[in-house]
Amino acid sequence: MSKSLQQPWTCLQCIRRQRSTRRYLATAAAAATITHSPPSYTRNHNPPLTAHDDRDLRKIFDSRPFWHEFSKSRTGFYKQNVGLFQNQYLTRPEGFKEYARVTLVKCRRIVAKVLEISTVDGYKSIVQDLDRLSDLLCRIIDLADFVRTTHPDPAFQNAANAAHALMFQYMNTLNTTTGLNDQLERALANSEVTSSWTEEEKTVAQLLKKDFSQSAIDLPRAKREKFVELSSTISVLGSKFVDEMRPARMSLAIESGRLKGMNPMLLKQLQNRRGHVILPIVGFAAQNAIRYVQDEATRKEIYIASRTAADGQVQVLEALLKHRAELAKLSGFSSYARMTLIDKMAQSPEAVNKFLSALSADNAPRMQAELKRMLTLKYPSSSGVSGNLSGSTVINAWDRDCYRQQLFAKPTPSSRKPDFLPAYFSLGTVMQGLSRLFSRLYGVRFVPREPAPGETWNPDVRRLDVIDEAEGHIAVVYCDLFARDGKNPNPAHFTLRCSRLISGSELAEDPSSSSPLHNLSTAQLANDGMATSHPVDPSGSVYQLPTIALICDFPSPPPSNSTSSSQPPTLLPLPSLLTLFHEMGHAIHSILGRTRLQNVSGTRCATDFAELPSVLMERFATDPAVLALFARHWETDAPLPYAIVAAGLASERRAEASDTETQVLLAAVDQAYHSESVLRDDGGAAFDSTAVWHALSARWASVPEAPGTRWQGFFGHLVGYGGSYYAYLFDRAIAAKVWEGVFRGGREGQAVERANGERFRSEVLRWGGSRNGWRCVGGLLGEEGRGLEEGGERAMEEVGRWGISGEGR
């Protein structure tokens, strides 16, 4: 059952991008008695006033007064609170408890049905039954996970926490219910049964089998209990590693004269009465010092301190890695990485390392050129710059950020203000542009929809209905894009409800024994009041529509009582534009990956394939033809001069080689930390994460790490991405190839051609996780992808050779 329990897609690159640019952001279902129904979008019928919808889409994000009026325009249609996301159990916090109770009744009924199967016909439907069981669990767990981290009301947070814990406990019980696994095994062993399954059903059957296996269901009782104990310890250690992260020294006392080059105002804030600066090792001040302090010895001291984790932090990490290795060994794998990679495109640590080696080789010439440019700054009169980089004329680890800062500083012409580019990217125009782009590529668009009472968790949340030109209403997107106190600032994509076909026979079930929502229609009742499609077959089957929440942290537009017409709306600098396009890439995958079974819907695919649509979307964000769809000055309506974007991209690309090299190193460290070497059987020395960190730095980095550091203690992503940190680099390489091979690098308007969009939709997006990622990539690239369909080490190495250079962007 655990396959479908997904964390929100919180992209590593988006978090880094947001943290580095936050300071530059420019701001300037139906009622209980349904007397009026909300708008209905049917097949082959688009809602009227398409231009009106397009105009409103911009205004609801750019004008707070307009949003205030728009969001109240249909209040009279609803007689009372319809519940969060129009889930009519969630009209109040206590509804979570009732929702969980009803769900458990339904789950137990399905479990009993599966355990009683004894006929071939019964086994033919077992995958659909188990997928429905998984969906019932996810309906609560996914919603509760979102509500407990996002809803501002502590009562809702606590109720969501309780429901989440209850359903997780029940899920763990199911994962160790041997009868369910035995029944699935019997179905898989019967050729008459498996020959009747669709490819999607076969894929889900294998996923469910793996889930049972990874829950130690095949182990004897004593080992199963050990598995549970190890899993619990790993969870505790992971939380401790992230929550208690700290350096060996929290601050340094440095004479102010040694810090020449730093921001004087910042130095004044940090200076004590004795003339010393008390520099915090964690945070902006230390980063600023490493980039701007002129004295090399001082930079070295700060750098080493900022890269040295506390002893206890390293001990926690090594305990975590050891317990993971023991868990893998107990499960029959030689390492945690092998256990993690078995269902990924990579499949093995050897394949990951082939990819990393090939990518590093592709990146090396650009990295060497970057280092030589830095050397020119450090040694402007040295003849050694044009020769070998060894010897005294080198860039050290504590030099790198300082000279990169100088090399890649972007001077602003005196004729332009610093916020010149963001003025063309109001949030409303960007959302308008995304809708127009999706309409061009896939025939889908966003239609603003006023929320019903109780439907959203904050008045600033906008609801968009996603309308397909042929299918009508296909998804709901809740956009929570503005910053507010207490809100998690990290950008994220949450799938609140996945696509799944609700069959006619399921609709015909008598709900009276389990559900109190007697006022709803049959289709609404089957989806708890949330959005469904129109009937798709003669039996009345409907799809539960994907329901998505997008979270960002952009500044709010001017308040409703503002009287000035010259105040700008929310304006996005280039990094924030890329973040929004990235998150929308995840969203369009969830929207168009409409499958019959929820275990493989949308982004529920292999981890090393899930970032492809979102990374690819970043390419569209800076394409001239795409920008022409929306990028206009918020005040004058003048179109964006593309030369400004091109200059910004050229500046970004200057740092691409060193960024790539750093990520290759971290991916290699992740593989080593989850390899067989963590548990040694030869009586050798105990695993030393610090020694491994320095050895790999010497192997993979052009600028080796400074001696004495323990940076691995700050590598928090080891907790959530253990064994799969390479995935983002991998998808960047595929995205670069797809951008050139399918969208022709955007040349001659190919980025907005419907044929190219339909090709990507038909080969990648529509499958969700129901098709092997290698088959998707091979089919998409055609002749260029020949030989990739089977995957393996050679395919991984080939993707590494493609590289991830942004030159084609």
Side-chain angles (χ1 to χ4, degrees), residues 405-419:
Q405 178 67 30
Q406 295 179 37
L407 189 61
F408 306 138
K410 295 177 285 186
T412 303
S414 58
S415 60
R416 295 195 181 106
K417 297 179 181 179
D419 63 351

Side-chain angles (χ1 to χ4, degrees), residues 614-794:
S614 55
V615 174
L616 181 64
M617 274 296 293
E618 295 182 32
R619 301 275 179 163
F620 289 94
T622 54
D623 178 79
V626 175
L627 290 171
L629 297 175
F630 69 93
R632 307 186 76 82
H633 196 281
W634 72 272
E635 195 170 24
T636 67
D637 204 41
L640 170 68
Y642 187 74
I644 306 302
V645 179
L649 290 176
S651 178
E652 256 196 7
R653 283 197 292 267
R654 292 173 192 165
E656 192 171 55
S658 54
D659 288 342
T660 298
E661 184 177 85
T662 297
Q663 293 305 305
V664 168
L665 168 61
L666 295 183
V669 169
D670 172 48
Q671 289 299 305
Y673 280 4
H674 294 98
S675 67
E676 289 84 352
S677 64
V678 177
L679 288 181
R680 298 189 58 162
D681 297 325
D682 58 4
F687 180 76
D688 184 343
S689 66
T690 301
V692 172
W693 162 248
H694 283 279
L696 291 173
S697 176
R699 157 71 176 84
W700 293 97
S702 301
V703 180
E705 182 60 291
T709 61
R710 295 191 296 263
W711 183 86
Q712 75 274 17
F714 302 121
F715 195 179
H717 291 302
L718 286 170
V719 174
Y721 294 85
S724 60
Y725 190 83
Y726 71 92
Y728 184 73
L729 278 174
F730 180 66
D731 283 340
R732 282 184 67 191
I734 297 175
K737 188 71 170 180
V738 170
W739 180 244
E740 285 296 324
V742 177
F743 296 94
R744 303 293 182 262
R747 293 180 290 278
E748 298 179 353
Q750 290 296 304
V752 294
E753 280 295 319
R754 172 65 68 88
N756 298 334
E758 288 296 342
R759 182 175 165 188
F760 188 64
R761 179 178 184 173
S762 65
E763 294 289 351
V764 175
L765 295 176
R766 78 178 183 93
W767 295 97
S770 65
R771 189 190 198 192
N772 181 279
W774 288 114
R775 287 185 61 194
C776 291
V777 174
L780 179 64
L781 295 177
E783 188 66 27
E784 288 186 277
R786 178 177 292 181
L788 293 177
E789 290 87 346
E790 299 304 317
E793 293 181 25
R794 291 181 62 184

